[in-house]
């Protein structure tokens, strides 16, 4: 099932197009794309039997983030060993580094991002998890049962700000406006033969710069949820960026940064793609 945000309204997507949830459910479920996670189980029960015959074509430019205002947005660092190596940082043993992307950075899947002047802005394609059921001290075994679905994310990162000063500033360097595009929609985990082995990648003006599989994650999705929820509860609608594989600009020789006019296309196979243009 594909569920998302079209012009700020909760929407179901089928092969035939888009169905507005508030209208199709006769008002039983509201239009707020973030509010639906509070009633996720009831919503899925309804959506599985919903009449989608009124599906209409839609403009992809009107898609918003499937979780546009999460209570918490977690970023996971150094979760692929080849990316940890290119970053010249150690491989985490018991749990990876955690930071936040402040929610003002969230955007929909198609956007223009203003590059911070004088910065070194880098790309990081990531699988993104959206929580559907409160998770507190859950085991890895039970973790997928707390996931509403998966989407594509770009953890855009301004490296000068991220690394300046006596202690790294991951959360600030990764939270400029538009630095957390997500979409094009949420796909429920049951849509995948193996949700722990998904192909992802990104390309700049058609040149592939990252390409990997989520089976390479050092801490797979269940371990990330178990580890985070051991410390703090995860709320319905919370978002987790699960980490990026090798191929970022920071790890290249010479290093490479996004430039005005670049078009960055990011994808997870089976979910869809993001398209960012830089100005
Ligand atoms: Zn990242």
């Amino acid at each position: 099932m594909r569920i998302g945000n079209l012009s700020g309204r909760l929407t179901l997507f089928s092969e035939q197009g888009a169905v507005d949830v508030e209208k199709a459910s006769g008002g039983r479920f509201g239009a707020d794309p973030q509010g639906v996670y509070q009633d996720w189980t009831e919503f899925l029960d309804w959506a599985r039997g919903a009449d989608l015959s009124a599906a209409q074509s839609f403009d992809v430019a009107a898609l918003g983030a499937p979780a546009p205002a999460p209570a918490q947005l977690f970023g996971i660092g150094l979760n692929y060993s080849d990316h940890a190596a290119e970053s010249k940082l150690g491989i985490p043993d018991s749990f990876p580094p955690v930071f936040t992307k402040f929610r003002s950075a969230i955007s929909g899947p198609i956007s223009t991002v203003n590059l911070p002047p004088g910065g070194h802005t880098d790309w990081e394609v990531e699988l993104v998890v959206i929580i559907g059921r409160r998770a507190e001290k859950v085991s890895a075994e039970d973790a997928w049962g707390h996931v509403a679905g998966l989407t594509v994310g770009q953890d855009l990162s301004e490296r000068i700000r991220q690394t300046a000063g006596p202690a790294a500033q991951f959360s600030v360097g990764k939270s400029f406006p538009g630095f957390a595009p997500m979409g094009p929609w949420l796909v429920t985990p049951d849509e995948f033969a193996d949700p722990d082995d998904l192909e992802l990648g990104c390309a700049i003006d058609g040149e592939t710069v990252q390409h990997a599989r989520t089976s390479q994650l050092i801490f797979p999705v269940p371990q990330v949820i178990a580890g985070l929820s051991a410390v703090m509860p995860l709320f319905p609608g919370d978002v987790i960026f699960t980490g990026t594989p090798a191929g970022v600009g920071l790890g290249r020789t010479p290093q490479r940064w996004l430039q005005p006019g670049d078009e960055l296309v990011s994808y997870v196979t089976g979910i869809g793609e993001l398209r960012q243009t830089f100005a």
Side-chain angles (χ1 to χ4, degrees), residues 83 86-87 120-124 157 159 202 204 209-210 244-258:
H83 173 64
E86 72 176 352
S87 305
H120 289 166
T121 299
D122 205 348
W123 56 89
E124 295 192 358
S157 303
R159 301 300 191 193
C202 67
I204 301 171
V209 286
Q210 290 187 282
T244 201
V248 302
L250 174 77
R252 289 170 183 264
T253 311
Q255 291 181 327
R256 177 176 174 182
W257 314 115
L258 290 161

Side-chain angles (χ1 to χ4, degrees), residues 81-92:
S81 56
D82 53 0
H83 173 64
E86 72 176 352
S87 305
K88 301 193 169 52
L89 295 167
I91 291 177

Side-chain angles (χ1 to χ4, degrees), residues 75-78 83 99 124-126 155 157 174 241-244:
I76 302 297
L78 307 179
H83 173 64
F99 53 90
E124 295 192 358
V125 65
E126 306 199 5
D155 179 17
S157 303
K174 292 167 173 276
F241 278 60
T242 57
T244 201

Side-chain angles (χ1 to χ4, degrees), residues 25-50:
S25 71
R28 181 172 163 201
F29 296 98
D32 176 13
Q34 188 69 46
V36 69
Y37 300 105
Q38 300 301 329
D39 301 310
W40 188 248
T41 305
E42 294 89 331
F43 171 74
L44 272 191
D45 285 348
W46 169 80
R48 291 216 158 89

Side-chain angles (χ1 to χ4, degrees), residues 126-144:
E126 306 199 5
L127 177 71
V128 169
V129 172
I130 303 175
I131 297 295
R133 241 181 355 116
R134 182 183 168 100
E136 191 163 11
K137 297 181 172 46
V138 301
S139 65
E141 209 167 56
D142 292 337
W144 274 116

Side-chain angles (χ1 to χ4, degrees), residues 179-200:
F179 270 34
M182 280 190 272
W185 32 59
L186 168 157
V187 179
T188 49
D190 59 310
E191 297 272 322
F192 303 98
D194 180 359
D196 286 306
D197 182 25
L198 305 179
E199 178 188 20
L200 76 170

Side-chain angles (χ1 to χ4, degrees), residues 74-81 83-84 89-100 126 170 217-228 231-232 240-244:
F74 301 94
I76 302 297
L78 307 179
N79 205 6
Y80 291 81
S81 56
H83 173 64
L89 295 167
I91 291 177
D93 44 17
S94 57
F95 201 68
V98 180
F99 53 90
T100 191
E126 306 199 5
F170 275 46
L217 282 164
I218 300 170
F219 299 90
V221 168
Q223 272 87 338
V224 167
I225 291 172
L228 289 173
V231 177
M232 65 203 107
I240 306 169
F241 278 60
T242 57
T244 201

